[in-house]
Amino acid sequence: MSDKPVPPRPVPPRPGTGARADRLAEILRVDHAGELGAVSIYRGQRAVLGEAASQVRIAGQLQEMEAHEARHLARFETLLSERRVRPTALAPIWRLAGFALGAGTALMGPKAAHACTEAVETVIEAHYADQIAEIAEREPELAKELAAFREEELAHRDLAVEEGALEAPGHRLLSGLIRAGCRVAIRVSEKL
């Protein structure tokens, strides 16, 4: 894993009447879905690791990261309402899938739980970086908020790596599957 950030690719605006509004709706919808999924992942991990007396430290870390994601989620809920954007129709699925992913990786152990965080946050921070580059000129306040959220996602990823994410059994396979799942969820949630 390289420590060098990948420079965001500028995305040209879509042509046509209403295209910018449609694209902004996609951005808000997918970001809301992502934060909903993240909260659910941490809840699943805490359901398993939060009950173990030997995991008090990681339970505290998970609770703090969940609080960050819950704050992001609340902001996107407000933005969806203000901008009259519907959330993804798949929210119940992402809630369930996130919880299952969190609980499943936690059952594999703390390092696997951290590997989950590392994989998810790697995809999400790059996704935010692309969005920031895309909207910076036409939505500077939103881009600023996304940049702050991205910094917290990077901090989550870095903490997961410090805690042994890369040492998880089957890390390469586990991380690859989770990253691929995140990318699919992003594409689907933009549209549905």
Side-chain angles (χ1 to χ4, degrees):
M1 184 169 87
S2 173
D3 289 336
K4 293 181 181 178
V6 176
R9 301 179 315 265
V11 178
R14 293 180 183 174
T17 304
R20 283 188 173 180
D22 290 346
R23 178 60 186 140
L24 183 60
E26 288 177 355
I27 288 170
L28 295 176
R29 183 173 20 265
V30 73
D31 290 352
H32 175 263
E35 298 299 347
L36 177 71
V39 167
S40 298
I41 289 169
Y42 288 123
R43 286 183 179 160
Q45 290 175 337
R46 287 193 324 113
V48 172
L49 296 171
E51 298 301 316
S54 63
Q55 302 299 332
V56 172
R57 188 172 60 79
I58 188 174
Q61 292 170 338
L62 294 171
Q63 186 173 15
E64 183 179 344
M65 290 187 287
E66 181 186 329
H68 295 159
E69 304 297 0
R71 192 178 74 254
H72 302 173
L73 177 60
R75 180 61 183 139
F76 283 116
E77 287 174 349
T78 298
L79 287 166
L80 289 180
S81 178
E82 288 174 354
R83 308 246 183 155
R84 298 177 187 253
V85 173
R86 67 164 176 80
T88 179
L90 301 174
I93 293 169
W94 297 152
R95 197 175 280 116
L96 180 62
F99 188 90
L101 177 60
T105 55
L107 286 168
M108 296 169 62
K111 289 185 180 183
H114 285 304
C116 176
T117 297
E118 178 265 332
V120 169
E121 300 297 21
T122 296
V123 173
I124 298 308
E125 77 82 13
H127 175 69
Y128 273 149
D130 288 345
Q131 288 180 339
I132 293 162
E134 180 180 351
I135 67 168
E137 288 184 26
R138 66 181 186 272
E139 292 279 346
E141 289 304 312
L142 179 58
K144 185 177 175 182
E145 284 186 275
L146 294 183
F149 292 170
R150 179 176 177 260
E151 287 303 314
E152 288 185 344
E153 309 298 358
L154 284 166
H156 297 171
R157 184 201 62 196
D158 293 347
L159 175 64
V161 170
E162 288 171 20
E163 292 292 328
L166 304 179
E167 300 162 17
H171 173 266
R172 175 178 251 157
L173 177 61
L174 181 63
S175 180
L177 289 172
I178 293 170
R179 288 178 192 199
C182 288
R183 289 183 187 107
V184 168
I186 286 168
R187 294 299 163 237
V188 170
S189 293
E190 283 179 335
K191 304 298 181 190
L192 297 178

